[in-house]
Amino acid sequence: EVQLVESGGGLVKPGGSLRLSCAASGFTFSSYSMNWVRQAPGKGLEWVSSISSSSSYIYYADSVKGRFTISRDNAKNSLYLQMNSLRAEDTAVYYCARGGGDYVSATFDYWGQGTLVTVSS
Amino acid sequence: QSVLTQSPSASGTPGQRVTISCSGSSSNIGSNTVNWYQQLPGTAPKLLIYSNNQRPSGVPDRFSGSKSGTSASLAISGLQSEDEADYYCAAWYDSLNGPVFGGGTRLTVL
């Protein structure tokens, strides 16, 4: 059974940093692209970042480019999102989602339960 | 304002057929496949339709997808109360070099 479990969310002050983690199990992690998608309270889904299976291709939404860094450790079956210079508008539930293949696409076939990030003073 | 346009709401009665639309451009839907996601209240999204009209294992055949030009549609037949959820379309956006979501459609079963 595919499982994705996010952790690392919490309350942080504007300008602060946070590192999210996603622990994957139940599939060959190194064969799939991975993604972060967020959802602000009461709002729709927003793609944040994607990374190909071997980390060769990395993409970011304009809203987080230069502030967030996606990475993965295939030996540990883990995905990460380093978030710096956080703003109030980054407040959201952050979902880890598996891609449909080793390449990056708009297909997210499994999702974690999400971790809440709140940016507030 | 989302790159992909969806009506904010839709509704239907049990047993009815409802359609949810998603409108884009030549740089997203027009040149890439469309996926649909279902988000039940208080839960994570779930892949409902991929590659325009393919259903993942376990998704009932009451759900179907189609695409024509720069628009796509999700149809739900034999509407059930448990179908009450938010539905999102998504497609790769060449200009952004990343995926984009529609704003979402909240389906209410009356």
Side-chain angles (χ1 to χ4, degrees):
Chain A
E1 178 195 6
V2 172
Q3 283 201 318
L4 299 169
V5 180
E6 302 95 335
S7 60
L11 176 63
V12 61
K13 290 181 168 53
S17 298
L18 214 54
R19 189 193 195 209
L20 305 183
S21 298
C22 172
S25 62
F27 66 101
T28 305
F29 182 73
S30 59
S31 295
Y32 289 87
S33 62
M34 295 297 296
N35 311 270
W36 289 100
V37 177
R38 68 184 181 184
Q39 186 170 36
K43 302 296 184 182
L45 301 174
E46 179 189 16
W47 168 73
V48 173
S49 183
S50 299
I51 186 169
S52 62
S53 59
S54 61
S55 304
S56 297
Y57 298 94
I58 289 176
Y59 304 90
Y60 297 99
D62 287 343
S63 57
V64 307
K65 202 172 292 182
R67 300 187 299 123
F68 290 11
T69 301
I70 191 172
S71 62
R72 63 189 295 163
D73 186 335
N74 287 345
K76 295 183 177 179
N77 291 343
S78 293
L79 174 72
Y80 307 100
L81 185 68
Q82 177 66 43
M83 303 187 296
N84 299 330
S85 303
L86 283 162
R87 306 166 180 167
E89 53 264 36
D90 295 319
T91 294
V93 173
Y94 284 73
Y95 294 103
C96 163
R98 192 182 83 167
D102 58 354
Y103 52 90
V104 174
S105 72
T107 303
F108 312 119
D109 60 1
Y110 287 93
W111 297 64
Q113 84 289 349
T115 187
L116 176 62
V117 172
T118 303
V119 184
S120 174
S121 55
Chain B
Q1 195 78 337
S2 302
V3 172
L4 304 182
T5 302
Q6 296 182 240
S7 297
S9 63
S11 63
T13 56
Q16 201 173 22
R17 182 179 189 270
V18 297
T19 302
I20 295 170
S21 63
C22 176
S23 177
S25 70
S26 57
S27 299
N28 41 66
I29 293 178
S31 54
N32 298 288
T33 59
V34 177
N35 305 306
W36 289 91
Y37 299 89
Q38 177 193 56
Q39 187 175 31
L40 298 170
T43 70
K46 166 192 166 184
L47 180 64
L48 196 64
I49 297 288
Y50 67 97
S51 296
N52 302 329
N53 54 18
Q54 302 299 302
R55 284 186 308 276
S57 174
V59 173
D61 59 6
R62 302 187 295 106
F63 295 90
S64 62
S66 63
K67 180 185 119 171
S68 178
T70 59
S71 295
S73 294
L74 171 70
I76 309 172
S77 60
L79 197 62
Q80 299 180 3
S81 58
E82 53 261 42
D83 298 333
E84 193 160 277
D86 292 327
Y87 293 85
Y88 297 89
C89 60
W92 189 264
Y93 189 16
D94 296 336
S95 302
L96 172 70
N97 212 16
V100 286
F101 288 95
T105 297
R106 177 153 294 178
L107 175 64
T108 300
V109 181
L110 302 170

